[in-house]
Amino acid sequence: LNHISPESAKRVDYLINAANTELTDQPSGWWPCRTRSYMTELFFLIAQLFEEEKNDDQSIELNKNISDNFKPILDYVMRLYNTKLTLDSIAKEFGTNRTSLNNLFKKETNLSAIAYIIDLRLRIAATMLSDTDLPVSEIAERTGYSDVTHFERLFKKKYNVTPATFRSNKKNKN
């Protein structure tokens, strides 16, 4: 990456510090999984930022020619995906309205803003399910879902299996 925004740098810093805290303090028996999950999230973020910069057909979510005015919006979503993001809050942050923001998302990602956020959260959750043994409830919370049932329903809709089955299938393949 030739450039990383200050916002993304804050998220990277947070993830590194969270992993470091888990490694040094070992506050519970879950410290190895939590450390791995923070590092997984960090690598996922870096890969996303790299794809945005690379701007080629290998990027699944983005069109070939992502506009410069959309990059800060994606950066914002990547930084705050695990919080309560709403269409209104994103639109307000970027001085636009819901309709214009959604139209921009559809143009750049072929998804609505909320669909993009859900897809991002679920892809990160899938990575955590594959690479850690953290409870599904913790993964749901870490990816922005306070309601585990809602998380499981969305996950099953995207991957056609429950999170637990997804994890089991991944472990059986390895």
Side-chain angles (χ1 to χ4, degrees):
L1 290 171
N2 292 325
H3 168 73
I4 185 169
S5 73
E7 292 80 19
S8 288
K10 287 178 193 172
R11 184 72 180 158
V12 167
D13 186 56
Y14 166 78
L15 292 169
I16 291 171
N17 286 329
N20 186 47
T21 298
E22 289 292 330
L23 283 169
T24 56
D25 296 349
Q26 299 179 4
S28 74
W30 289 106
W31 70 267
C33 285
R34 283 198 184 107
T35 302
R36 193 172 30 243
S37 72
Y38 286 122
M39 296 308 293
T40 298
E41 195 174 342
L42 175 65
F43 296 143
F44 192 95
L45 172 62
I46 290 170
Q48 285 293 120
L49 293 170
F50 181 74
E51 289 301 324
E52 286 174 26
E53 184 173 282
K54 207 164 87 173
N55 211 8
D56 66 13
D57 290 330
Q58 292 178 13
S59 179
I60 295 167
E61 306 81 32
L62 305 176
N63 287 335
K64 189 170 184 171
N65 296 311
I66 182 171
S67 63
D68 288 338
N69 65 333
F70 190 64
K71 287 180 183 180
I73 297 170
L74 278 182
D75 187 50
Y76 181 81
V77 169
M78 277 302 302
R79 184 170 43 95
L80 298 174
Y81 74 87
N82 62 339
T83 65
K84 185 173 169 55
L85 277 177
T86 64
L87 196 55
D88 287 331
S89 67
I90 300 168
K92 184 178 178 184
E93 178 71 22
F94 291 95
T96 189
N97 61 52
R98 296 165 50 103
T99 304
S100 296
L101 180 65
N102 243 346
N103 289 340
L104 184 58
F105 259 92
K106 286 180 183 176
K107 176 184 169 199
E108 299 284 349
T109 68
N110 296 319
L111 296 171
S112 70
I114 298 304
Y116 181 85
I117 293 166
I118 291 169
D119 184 67
L120 175 65
R121 287 174 172 175
L122 294 176
R123 286 185 293 120
I124 292 171
T127 303
M128 286 185 187
L129 286 164
S130 297
D131 296 342
T132 74
D133 291 327
L134 288 175
V136 171
S137 59
E138 185 170 337
I139 291 172
E141 184 180 324
R142 289 267 308 274
T143 54
Y145 295 101
S146 57
D147 181 355
V148 177
T149 304
H150 180 64
F151 165 73
E152 289 176 336
R153 190 171 32 251
L154 290 171
F155 193 92
K156 187 171 183 176
K157 185 177 178 182
K158 179 173 177 61
Y159 292 104
N160 298 315
V161 293
T162 65
T165 303
F166 181 89
R167 173 179 275 161
S168 177
N169 291 345
K170 288 293 184 177
K171 289 189 181 212
N172 288 339
K173 285 183 181 179
N174 294 336

